[in-house]
Amino acid sequence: MATRRSTRIVSRKHSLSPAPLPSPRKTPKRTPTRTTVVKVESPDDEPLVKIEDPSANRSSDNTDASPLKDRKLKLLSANLTSSPFPTFGHPTPAECVLAHDILTSIHGRKTRPSQVVASKTRAGCGDSPSVLDALVRTILSQNTSDANSTRAKLSMDAVYGGSDNWEDIVEGGQERLQEAIKCGGLSQVKSKVILKILNQAKERYGVYSLDHLHSASTDEAMQELLSFDGVGPKTASCVLLFCLQREDFAVDTHVHRITGLLGWRPKNASRDQTYHHLNKKIPDELKYALHVLFVSHGKVCEDCKAGAKGITNCQLRKAFRSAVIKDVKPERIVAKGTMPMKTEERSANAMSEATVEEAKAEIVDGVKDEIKEE
């Protein structure tokens, strides 16, 4: 028995002798794409938002080469003429009118200003006549509160002596800009995105300006804005809506959450898909007011902020619960810039009970699967 055991051990030792290894194959180094992960405001949105770091996986001599850019433009092209959900019928024009009327009764009338003025006391979202300034303000507002983005903008202005000293910002480098906007959150990523956009603008046009987009068509302006690193449909749409004063329906966290609760989009639609869908469904005359009203409502309505399902005290949600709205009569949609009220007697800031009942009278009895409480 001892002899056998010894033989086994010897044999085992021989089997562990190293065999000649093939020469390792050389593989090119790949630069990993760095991603900053942040939580969004609402539990109803996707739990995480990824913001690409534009300095990662880019060659210094090819600033416009980007797989992400190609994907953005491909998605835009695919949805230029139709919704990504062509068989999803909501919202109807009548539903948009009803939502506008109810929200106006709660939050007051929202009309587009006749002139865009760059505020010196807040960052805003696209609020500047300068397209480049509007774009930078909107980037500062990404994934943060109005108060934080305003702090970042005011700090940036103090450091560089104004909101449009683009050359000083570029020459100061990323570290200085990051420190200047640190109080706004995500400063590392946002500073790199801003510098990347400034460099791309200068390389393309020879100046730090995108004001030529004022004379471009809406589709051309959207395509141009999406071609910049770090600019997605929401950011581009805000610039279109507020700076360029185009009829575009921007979808932020509040809009995405509330329209989901109203049944205006498929349950699992992403924010970008929701933008392309609602931009086709909502009448142009209502896009500005409805966007501002949804954002205002999303900030103060406790039921909508929490994404509460089932029984709710929200007047807007009550009107849409288990209901399908008839198609709107043509006369309900009126001239651009005016409120689509049916009678002149209706107040701009309050809606009477009779008016609410009139709007509810358009609701068809019955429950449809595509519009219900999630």
Side-chain angles (χ1 to χ4, degrees):
M1 294 291 289
T3 306
R4 271 184 205 161
R5 187 174 179 188
S6 175
T7 305
R8 244 187 243 118
I9 293 170
V10 171
S11 172
R12 198 171 176 186
K13 284 181 180 177
H14 282 300
S15 68
L16 293 174
S17 59
L21 297 172
S23 58
R25 208 184 291 174
K26 289 186 179 180
T27 57
K29 277 189 176 181
R30 297 181 64 187
T31 306
T33 299
R34 295 192 296 278
T35 300
T36 299
V37 181
V38 294
K39 290 186 179 180
V40 298
E41 301 173 21
S42 164
D44 292 307
D45 273 324
E46 298 153 349
L48 296 174
V49 170
K50 295 183 178 180
I51 300 178
E52 182 183 348
D53 181 343
S55 68
N57 202 22
R58 296 280 193 278
S59 60
S60 60
D61 58 344
N62 191 6
T63 58
D64 275 358
S66 166
L68 180 60
K69 169 189 167 183
D70 292 341
R71 289 198 300 273
K72 290 187 295 184
L73 295 179
K74 185 177 180 181
L75 179 63
L76 174 66
S77 176
N79 295 288
L80 273 178
T81 57
S82 63
S83 161
F85 312 108
T87 61
F88 194 88
H90 301 282
T92 65
E95 290 170 343
C96 296
V97 168
L98 179 59
H100 174 276
D101 289 0
I102 292 173
L103 290 174
T104 296
S105 75
I106 300 170
H107 304 289
R109 182 177 181 175
K110 307 297 181 184
T111 55
R112 188 195 296 276
S114 58
Q115 186 177 4
V116 180
V117 178
S119 174
K120 294 183 179 179
T121 59
R122 59 186 293 270
C125 186
D127 294 333
S128 175
S130 162
V131 181
L132 192 55
D133 184 35
L135 184 55
V136 169
R137 287 171 183 260
T138 308
I139 289 166
L140 291 175
S141 75
Q142 290 175 348
N143 296 288
T144 193
S145 65
D146 290 343
N148 283 342
S149 63
T150 293
R151 277 194 286 268
K153 183 67 175 68
L154 295 179
S155 173
M156 185 175 166
D157 290 349
V159 169
Y160 296 101
S163 62
D164 58 354
N165 292 327
W166 308 123
E167 194 165 339
D168 291 345
I169 292 172
V170 171
E171 289 179 356
Q174 189 263 327
E175 188 175 342
R176 187 184 184 201
L177 179 57
Q178 179 180 338
E179 184 62 30
I181 63 175
K182 188 176 182 179
C183 53
L186 292 175
S187 59
Q188 182 177 9
V189 174
K190 291 179 181 180
S191 59
K192 290 178 180 177
V193 168
I194 290 170
L195 289 174
K196 188 74 173 177
I197 289 171
L198 293 177
N199 285 324
Q200 285 178 307
K202 185 65 181 290
E203 287 171 11
R204 291 180 190 181
Y205 309 114
V207 291
Y208 294 113
S209 174
L210 296 177
D211 284 349
H212 64 279
L213 293 182
H214 280 288
S215 58
S217 71
T218 298
D219 289 342
E220 289 169 344
M222 171 60 82
Q223 185 170 351
E224 175 73 12
L225 290 167
L226 289 178
S227 72
F228 289 96
D229 290 327
V231 178
K234 182 260 181 181
T235 299
S237 182
C238 283
V239 174
L240 285 171
L241 183 66
F242 295 107
C243 170
L244 299 178
Q245 297 194 307
R246 308 299 174 84
E247 306 307 338
D248 214 70
F249 191 72
V251 175
D252 72 345
T253 298
H254 302 294
V255 176
H256 185 256
R257 180 173 63 247
I258 296 174
T259 54
L261 293 169
L262 295 180
W264 285 18
R265 61 171 173 84
K267 183 177 180 180
N268 297 319
S270 69
R271 203 153 75 178
D272 289 354
Q273 288 174 322
T274 300
Y275 161 73
H276 288 293
H277 174 68
L278 295 179
N279 208 36
K280 304 296 181 298
K281 303 296 288 184
I282 295 175
D284 284 348
E285 293 81 359
L286 299 177
K287 284 179 179 176
Y288 177 87
L290 265 183
H291 170 83
V292 177
L293 287 166
F294 275 136
V295 173
S296 299
H297 191 69
K299 291 178 179 178
V300 300
C301 176
E302 294 301 326
D303 285 344
C304 291
K305 278 199 293 186
K309 298 172 177 63
I311 297 174
T312 174
N313 293 320
C314 173
Q315 186 180 356
L316 177 67
R317 301 268 299 284
K318 282 180 179 178
F320 280 86
R321 185 183 296 120
S322 302
V324 177
I325 316 301
K326 289 180 181 177
D327 287 338
V328 69
K329 296 180 178 66
E331 60 266 24
R332 291 296 301 277
I333 300 295
V334 292
K336 185 181 293 188
T338 61
M339 201 161 76
M341 298 294 184
K342 190 171 184 180
T343 62
E344 294 182 359
E345 291 78 14
R346 289 164 63 178
S347 167
N349 296 316
M351 186 166 60
S352 67
E353 291 181 8
T355 302
V356 176
E357 292 307 314
E358 175 193 334
K360 287 183 178 178
E362 295 181 4
I363 299 175
V364 180
D365 293 333
V367 179
K368 299 289 185 181
D369 290 336
E370 66 267 30
I371 183 165
K372 61 183 179 180
E373 293 291 337
E374 294 177 6

